[in-house]
Amino acid sequence: MRPPLLHQRCPELAGSLPFLRLGTAPTPVRALPGLDTRAELWIKDESGYGDGGWGGNKVRKLEWLLPEARQRGARTILTVGGLGTNWGLAAARYAREQGLRVALGLIDQPVDEHVRAQLERLRASGATLHLLHTKTRLILAAPWLFVRHTHGRTPPYYLPAGGSSPLGTLGAVETALELAGQVDAGQLPEPAWLVTAVGSGGTAAGLTLGLRLAGLRTRVLGVVVNDTLPLDTPTLLSLARRSTALLRARGADVSGAEPAPDAIRTETAWLGDGYAHPTRASDRALARAAAHAGLALERTYTAKALAALLDLDETGRLDGGPVVFLHTHGPR
Ligand SMILES: Cc1ncc(COP(=O)(O)O)c(C=O)c1O
């Protein structure tokens, strides 16, 4: 198995931080001239990451989370999300291959064709689904969910929405270290911005930490697509700090790796009416990406992130670039 770049960067982690490779790295980078942006535009394409090319950025988190769950002796992973959760589906599918069960506490989101199909996939995944409708009911049900999914004396391994715990966040650290390797190899110039959707925050936080560890000056532009969680810049920086503390606790020398306050910029103007509500700008970006760049985006995350990138670029608010768009959606 190809060791993770994080173990190569911090060899002291090899024995203390288990890793399970689930996809083929590095994911490709390429120029995206077809979108006619003012800034030089590139893509790092995570959409094919995962077993059989299935999963995207969620799989990166599971590469750290699943071996940890097994090492802790957990039998069930308990996690939460919306009815169409990509994270929950990826967790269910990859955990099962490791002999772990998944229980999902689900809250409502606007239901369209895609969400209906996703629910069917979740039902078929073998995960136990708890339809709790609202965040309040989910919080009230939490003690019961813990008891319900305790086997013998072993409680479930709880993971927050999107798998964005300090450990899951390391998935995106790996993505950023990979990008830095591709910059070093001359495959692309050092980006000014790395643009990603922010759904639960782990991806943006991990990218920020990874870029810092790699010594790149690239800043993360996080396009917030979820209004059910606090996802402002201080919250994301705090998650990056908690991941840094985790690395330190596992024995890594990460002095000076904490991201600077301006390492992340968050944008909330492309959210529309809320999580999973499509917007005109995201529909336009989705169509433009399909027609001019051959990209298959979806409405909840990647189309909103690209919409923000295109609008900010058009109005000269990306400081000239180069800009890298992180394609996080893995089709199924
Ligand atoms: C396709 C896609 N892109 C981006 C994200 C956002 O990543 P994060 O939850 O780490 O903020 C998600 C989260 O599930 C996703 O499914």
Side-chain angles (χ1 to χ4, degrees):
M1 182 186 79
R2 195 189 158 101
L5 296 173
L6 188 56
H7 284 176
Q8 292 173 37
R9 163 73 175 68
C10 308
E12 54 284 14
L13 292 173
S16 62
L17 195 64
F19 176 81
L20 173 70
R21 176 71 69 193
L22 295 171
T24 306
T27 54
V29 288
R30 64 177 189 281
L32 274 188
L35 290 177
D36 247 347
T37 45
R38 288 157 63 141
E40 190 185 334
L41 181 60
W42 293 75
I43 183 171
K44 178 153 176 72
D45 191 351
E46 292 274 282
S47 67
Y49 198 77
D51 180 23
W54 188 93
N57 66 331
K58 280 68 61 187
V59 183
R60 297 278 196 175
K61 299 173 180 176
L62 290 163
E63 292 186 319
W64 300 99
L65 295 168
L66 293 179
E68 175 84 6
R70 288 190 51 172
Q71 202 169 67
R72 290 180 181 206
R75 293 174 54 190
T76 301
I77 289 175
L78 172 61
T79 187
V80 296
L83 285 177
T85 175
N86 294 324
W87 153 248
L89 186 60
R93 175 173 167 175
Y94 285 95
R96 195 173 54 186
E97 286 164 15
Q98 301 306 311
L100 292 158
R101 294 182 211 173
V102 168
L104 294 172
L106 299 177
I107 64 173
D108 290 342
Q109 71 176 76
V111 175
D112 60 9
E113 247 347 60
H114 166 75
V115 173
R116 255 189 293 277
Q118 186 79 342
L119 248 180
E120 282 316 305
R121 291 186 201 105
L122 284 167
R123 288 206 167 93
S125 71
T128 306
L129 308 188
H130 300 280
L131 305 184
L132 292 158
H133 305 294
T134 65
K135 198 170 167 181
T136 309
R137 286 180 63 178
L138 176 63
I139 292 166
L140 289 173
W144 176 81
L145 287 174
F146 266 85
V147 173
R148 160 80 174 71
H149 293 288
T150 293
H151 296 281
R153 302 177 67 137
T154 312
Y157 180 37
Y158 174 73
L159 292 173
S164 289
S165 64
L167 183 65
T169 292
L170 299 184
V173 170
E174 191 65 16
T175 305
L177 292 176
E178 233 178 76
L179 181 72
Q182 290 165 318
V183 170
D184 274 353
Q187 292 179 36
L188 77 164
E190 181 177 3
W193 293 103
L194 176 53
V195 180
T196 185
V198 178
S200 62
T203 302
L207 291 173
T208 311
L209 173 55
L211 292 167
R212 179 75 177 210
L213 278 173
L216 290 190
R217 287 161 299 179
T218 308
R219 296 173 67 197
V220 171
L221 179 71
V223 182
V224 177
V225 301
N226 188 357
D227 55 344
T228 68
L229 294 171
L231 292 167
D232 51 14
T233 301
T235 305
L236 299 181
L237 284 170
S238 156
L239 179 54
R241 271 195 296 275
R242 286 190 290 142
S243 295
T244 316
L246 171 83
L247 294 177
R248 197 173 292 120
R250 300 282 175 111
D253 176 9
V254 283
S255 39
E258 265 172 30
D262 68 347
I264 305 185
R265 165 172 150 196
T266 45
E267 294 284 350
T268 54
W270 283 267
L271 176 65
D273 287 338
Y275 178 66
H277 287 263
T279 62
R280 245 185 266 149
S282 65
D283 280 348
R284 267 199 313 272
L286 189 112
R288 197 165 148 194
H292 301 290
L295 292 179
L297 305 184
E298 45 61 61
R299 290 191 155 77
T300 304
Y301 300 94
T302 43
K304 284 186 178 172
L306 186 67
L309 186 161
L310 294 174
D311 289 350
L312 290 167
D313 171 73
E314 204 170 299
T315 48
R317 284 179 285 164
L318 284 181
D319 318 335
V323 179
V324 174
F325 174 66
L326 189 71
H327 187 3
T328 43
H329 178 60
R332 52 198 60 85

